[in-house]
Amino acid sequence: MFSGAQISLYPMTDDFVGVITSALRALTPYRDRLRVETDDVSTLLVGPPEVMFPAMRDLFSAAARTGVHCTLSAAISRGCPGEPDDAICASSHFEGPMAPLAQRQAAALSAVANAPKLDVPLVAQLSLYVMGQGNHMDEIYGCVEFLKQSGTFETSKHFATKLRGDSGALFATLEQAFCSFGPPEGHVTIDLTVSANSPSAS
Amino acid sequence: MFSGAQISLYPMTDDFVGVITSALRALTPYRDRLRVETDDVSTLLVGPPEVMFPAMRDLFSAAARTGVHCTLSAAISRGCPGEPDDAICASSHFEGPMAPLAQRQAAALSAVANAPKLDVPLVAQLSLYVMGQGNHMDEIYGCVEFLKQSGTFETSKHFATKLRGDSGALFATLEQAFCSFGPPEGHVTIDLTVSANSPSAS
């Protein structure tokens, strides 16, 4: 199954090029397991979720540690019927049949509990979209229930759920939201915003 | 039908607060027809697409005219079964039964041809998601076909379509992509990025 993301890093500083260039070094340990292509709007990551989410986490954590207000925006996708399969995307997340919702929620919570602690406080906002079936809201509500118990939940907003927490727990939560809801072979996407060091943070 | 967006404006400058505050004045003419709520991650717009897209256009055009590299990121949504209906969202876009695809594409192209010219060159990238039905790719491919003929098409990317053009034509194209594809009462979303003044622009 093809999976990946179009991601963009936005440092709100005159030296945005410097912050981006320096943060990109955090991707080095992941480059042999990801396809990476950049243009003037976004950077494409193609690879399995268990590589892609830690890569995004380390990239954004590096930018956040500069203290500059910065955000990461990402269109994350798996199983789009229009995309060709790619061996680099092979993932253990989607093996076997679809387990019952409660079982998937429990496994997702356990994965978040085991996330590394990075001491980088972040805020995130995500919308999960499940396509290709009539009962898509059941999976979306199941995911929101997981998010509420994840320890990173802040609030429900129109069109999105807002999370707050350490970078480690937060990106583990996002990876589980992306992988554990919607059918294993389904077309599932996340519209994601992550923010650090905002002067308007409450 | 409930419709709206969570939008964020990112000026890549030390004076990002100044650019945002000044650009927000462009929303004034729309405020009586939109519900607007801001927190530290995004601004919620609730209202009909024919108000919301021109409002986003004028907001982002104002920011782009400063010459600063800036981007707009938006999670745009209509017909989400989890959202209550709201009178402020009443729209002429979704009246009547669903016309055949070719007819909707032709009407969308004609709307783009009549867009105002604002002399603000922009790049945009969008992913359209149609939920709640098995044949969702038919509508997505139908939209991509419209985008290719819209005059603003630049390239197809993994997970997204990239557009380039004047702010007027570009936001008219986005409004049509959002309103003309997927059932009139369907759950349809767009993950949108718009960019201006990028130093890496080709």
Side-chain angles (χ1 to χ4, degrees), chain A residues 6 10-14 39-40 42 73 75 82-83 125 130-131 133 136 141 157-159 162 187 191 193, chain B residues 6 10-14 39-40 42 73 75 82-83 125 130-132 136 141 157-159 162 187 191 193:
Chain A
Q6 293 284 357
Y10 303 128
M12 258 58 77
T13 169
D14 291 350
D39 70 12
D40 58 312
S42 61
S73 178
E83 304 280 3
Q125 191 163 297
V130 176
M131 271 154 289
Q133 55 181 66
H136 69 294
Y141 290 139
K157 301 171 64 167
H158 286 299
F159 318 127
K162 191 175 171 194
H187 184 190
D191 182 339
T193 303
Chain B
Q6 293 284 359
Y10 304 127
M12 259 57 79
T13 170
D14 292 349
D39 70 13
D40 58 311
S42 61
S73 177
E83 304 280 3
Q125 191 162 296
V130 176
M131 272 155 287
H136 70 292
Y141 290 139
K157 300 171 65 167
H158 287 299
F159 319 126
K162 190 174 171 194
H187 184 189
D191 182 339
T193 304

